[in-house]
Amino acid sequence: QDPRRGVCETAIGRHNRWEYDDTHAFDATALQELRDCLRDVQSRLDAQASHGDPAVRAMAASYAAYLTFANGDSDGLRDQAMYRNFRWLRERWPKGMRIVVWSASVHAAKSLPGGTRPFGSYVHAELGDRAAAIGFSALSGHYGNVGGRRAPQPLAPAAPGSLEARAFAGAGTGDLRYLDHAPLQALGTV
């Protein structure tokens, strides 16, 4: 096996899972490594031009576009690229197929303060009430133990008055809460 492939699998995997830390920073060196890996992937795709998978080509092109703005995205280009990928896949799947997109809540939002348009706003504009954004949060705990690759990091406890603290206030026992539209509306702006 090509040793370069292992290097690229590690670099792209770290980026996709956002496993950056003090030892592995997302900096100019990491970004250049990703661009070099993408160049290698595109070179292999070019060598397979007649029988390469069009889906892989489309994703590689989208990833290349993303890397052009990976160290700054005030125009929401990443969310636009996410939506183009979503549309591309949706157009190729059977009608009526239910689709779940797992993303950071900030991408799934219908709107954001400051004017940057998130991925979720495009989906909701296209699908209306047929689309739903479900956010996950935590009152306390740990994060970052993706497949046992690194030690879990403590999550700072939610502040008093936060959405998380208010969701658990007076709610009885148990570790989980689900707040649909009505309870969220009742909490107001938090």
Side-chain angles (χ1 to χ4, degrees):
Q1 177 171 322
D2 178 6
R4 182 86 182 122
R5 180 177 178 155
V7 168
C8 289
E9 285 176 352
T10 298
I12 292 170
R14 179 178 294 120
H15 185 251
N16 288 343
R17 293 183 301 272
W18 203 255
E19 294 178 339
Y20 296 105
D21 53 27
D22 292 339
T23 306
H24 303 95
F26 182 65
D27 56 14
T29 302
L31 186 56
Q32 186 59 51
E33 182 68 51
L34 289 168
R35 288 182 174 139
D36 291 345
C37 288
L38 183 60
R39 186 192 64 240
D40 294 351
V41 168
Q42 289 175 319
S43 175
R44 286 181 184 246
L45 288 171
D46 290 345
Q48 304 170 359
S50 63
H51 58 278
D53 182 347
V56 174
R57 287 186 177 288
M59 291 300 161
S62 180
Y63 197 65
Y66 166 69
L67 289 180
T68 63
F69 54 82
N71 53 350
D73 184 19
S74 60
D75 296 327
L77 297 175
R78 179 178 185 187
D79 288 271
Q80 291 172 34
M82 291 168 70
Y83 178 65
R84 282 192 304 274
N85 287 341
F86 170 80
R87 294 275 325 257
W88 188 90
L89 288 167
R90 188 167 177 262
E91 289 167 1
R92 284 154 180 78
W93 286 351
K95 296 284 184 212
M97 173 81 63
R98 290 186 180 197
I99 301 169
V100 175
V101 177
W102 192 282
S103 73
S105 296
V106 69
H107 295 297
K110 292 179 187 177
S111 65
L112 293 173
T116 299
R117 189 173 178 191
F119 163 72
S121 71
Y122 297 100
V123 173
H124 283 276
E126 179 180 337
L127 300 176
D129 288 342
R130 294 183 300 150
I134 301 172
F136 291 84
S137 189
L139 186 61
S140 64
H142 293 81
Y143 70 94
N145 187 19
V146 179
R149 290 182 180 88
R150 64 179 173 168
Q153 303 296 307
L155 182 67
S162 66
L163 173 66
E164 295 81 2
R166 290 176 64 189
F168 278 87
T173 61
D175 293 339
L176 300 174
R177 297 291 179 277
Y178 173 75
L179 304 177
D180 61 17
H181 187 71
L184 283 172
Q185 288 278 124
L187 288 175
T189 301
V190 177

